Amino acid sequence: MSETEVVAAPRPLLLNDGQPAAAAWSLDPGMLHLNHGSFGAVPLIAQQRQHELRAEMERAPVVWFPELPARIAATRAEIADYLQVDAGDLALVPNASAGASAVYAALTARPGGDIVVTDHGYGAVTMGAERLARRWGGRVRTARVPLAADAGQAYRAVMAEVDDRVALVVLDQITSATARRLPVDRIGAELARRDITLLVDGAHAPGILATPLAGLVCDAWIGNLHKWGCAPRGTAALVARGPLREHLHPLIDSWSAAEAFPHRFDQQGTLDATGPLAAPTALDFVERTWGWETARRYMDELADYGARVIGSAFAGSAGPVESVDVGMPVPGMRLVRLPEGLGHSRVEADALRDLATAELGVEAAFTSFDGIGYLRLSAHVYNTSTDYDRFAESCVPVLHDWARQARVGG
């Protein structure tokens, strides 16, 4: 896009009764919510469903818990239908990190075996891989994938780290800090040919990608429903199709421990399972109100608008500027480069996030990659163009001041 082109603001989505989409959520109207991708936001209808389920649980817990495995199995079937996978391949786990931990625990010990990750990997999942490598007496190899790398370049960067010592590869389908995709389908096909285990971290994929597992060859895939799916937190899917599935067990051994995958995941003692049980309500709400295809298109157009408006404000330009060069961009997510002095490291970016919340009244994701700080935008249906206009007008000048102070102080 040239600097003379103007990006039009997408028309806001409305509820079926004509109200703004945000009316279906309980988000604080006094705060800017520009970071749906981290913790999501649960619509009121799903919150109410969870409250009803909790009340049912508390009225008769001795009835609730023995019946719970069957209800979880039925919910799994609904979520599997949404993800377009077989319900027999899908287990419910608290979050993507819990799913990764279950995979790490299931792998056969490989003394001296190495594990390949990328420099875009989610920190908690990478930490789990590092702990597994220590148990094996191997090491973690980090494939360096440039932010602007296209699918072919990213494929070659990852496969350059793969040799006969590698026992496991862990790849993000959509990277958290850098809002880009990785060519997990092509890499998965090659790793399968070499008989190397692949774990795909699809934490951000449900809701953003229509069919995240279509054509994907991997031993295990994990995805959060509480992000773009808007389910209550504590709701994620673990999908396994190969021999590894028979070794997968939940992190808590309970009365279903002797059953086959995925049924042994359906019973987890006295854990509160009302979140997963309410997840289909959230998924169905978006589908009935707008349709997921329409919602995804709106989120992508809005994120593009936000990146242009905020990028222009940071650049001090009256017109749109070029966005950050991301090789495999993600629908609904964009990166905007921060002024020099801000977000050079993850620690600095997290501190900036907390400061922006306290001082500016904004929930925003500040990230870091290769020593450069970014604002990561992740839009949802309740956002509107005015959210990004407001950030550009009121928050960007303050961020510029903070950047100048950081440069002087440094």
Side-chain angles (χ1 to χ4, degrees):
M1 179 178 293
S2 70
E3 295 189 2
T4 59
E5 292 182 79
V6 176
V7 178
R11 186 185 300 274
L13 292 183
L14 302 176
L15 299 174
N16 292 332
D17 61 3
Q19 293 189 78
W25 273 263
S26 57
L27 293 165
D28 182 353
M31 181 170 287
L32 276 176
H33 300 277
L34 304 182
N35 183 22
H36 186 88
S38 285
F39 301 106
V42 185
L44 288 165
I45 190 172
Q47 293 182 42
Q48 181 59 39
R49 179 56 180 155
Q50 187 175 23
H51 291 328
E52 293 169 355
L53 290 164
R54 280 182 173 149
E56 182 182 348
M57 176 175 64
E58 297 303 337
R59 279 196 302 269
V62 177
V63 174
W64 172 269
F65 284 101
E67 293 180 350
L68 188 55
R71 299 180 76 157
I72 290 292
T75 298
R76 277 198 296 105
E78 292 184 79
I79 292 174
D81 184 63
Y82 174 75
L83 293 174
Q84 299 186 36
V85 299
D86 192 303
D89 295 336
L90 185 149
L92 293 178
V93 291
N95 51 48
S97 297
S101 296
V103 172
Y104 294 152
L107 293 170
T108 302
R110 174 75 177 271
D114 289 346
I115 301 172
V116 172
V117 300
T118 76
D119 53 350
H120 298 258
Y122 186 68
V125 174
T126 298
M127 288 176 188
E130 291 169 345
R131 185 164 68 93
L132 178 61
R134 289 194 295 270
R135 294 208 313 267
W136 285 353
R139 63 189 179 96
V140 169
R141 307 182 187 185
T142 302
R144 308 291 175 183
V145 180
L147 185 60
D150 61 21
Q153 292 168 327
Y155 171 84
R156 290 189 290 274
V158 172
M159 294 309 301
E161 295 293 334
V162 177
D163 59 24
D164 292 341
R165 290 183 58 85
V166 172
L168 171 67
V169 176
V170 182
L171 292 179
D172 294 72
Q173 190 169 28
I174 295 174
T175 63
S176 180
T178 50
R180 63 158 291 150
R181 295 180 67 170
L182 291 174
V184 293
D185 48 355
R186 182 179 174 188
I187 294 172
E190 178 59 21
L191 294 177
R193 189 184 70 81
R194 301 190 192 190
D195 197 26
I196 296 173
T197 301
L198 172 62
L199 167 62
V200 173
D201 182 355
H204 286 263
I208 279 290
L209 304 181
T211 53
L213 288 108
L216 177 59
V217 179
C218 64
D219 297 272
W221 175 96
I222 48 180
N224 286 326
L225 275 296
H226 73 254
K227 293 181 182 290
W228 276 267
C230 293
R233 288 95 188 168
T235 309
L238 166 59
V239 177
R241 293 168 170 156
L244 177 64
R245 57 187 276 136
E246 303 311 321
H247 301 281
L248 288 166
H249 290 266
L251 302 180
I252 299 172
D253 285 323
S254 193
W255 289 102
S256 296
E259 296 192 25
F261 178 91
H263 303 287
R264 52 177 166 254
F265 283 78
D266 292 346
Q267 191 168 15
Q268 294 288 285
T270 55
L271 287 183
D272 185 349
T274 58
L277 292 178
T281 300
L283 298 172
D284 183 61
F285 166 71
V286 175
E287 179 59 38
R288 286 186 296 103
T289 308
W290 304 285
W292 274 100
E293 184 177 351
T294 297
R296 277 189 286 268
R297 182 168 59 250
Y298 174 76
M299 290 186 282
D300 194 42
E301 292 174 355
L302 187 59
D304 195 47
Y305 174 84
R308 296 292 178 168
V309 168
I310 295 172
S312 295
F314 274 129
S317 169
V321 296
E322 291 299 325
S323 59
V324 176
D325 187 7
V326 174
M328 298 178 68
V330 176
M333 298 176 73
R334 297 291 187 277
L335 291 182
V336 178
R337 183 163 179 169
L338 293 171
E340 180 62 31
L342 297 180
H344 288 162
S345 68
R346 182 188 65 80
V347 173
E348 289 184 14
D350 286 350
L352 183 59
R353 173 202 63 199
D354 297 341
L355 184 62
T357 301
E359 299 292 329
L360 303 178
V362 59
E363 288 189 329
F366 296 95
T367 69
S368 177
F369 181 73
D370 201 22
I372 298 173
Y374 297 96
L375 170 67
R376 188 200 71 188
L377 302 178
S378 50
H380 211 277
V381 295
Y382 55 77
N383 289 123
T384 68
S385 61
T386 57
D387 295 332
Y388 302 95
D389 294 337
R390 179 178 158 193
F391 186 94
E393 293 166 6
S394 63
C395 299
V396 167
V398 178
L399 288 167
H400 267 305
D401 287 342
W402 291 348
R404 281 192 291 268
Q405 293 169 18
R407 291 195 297 269
V408 171

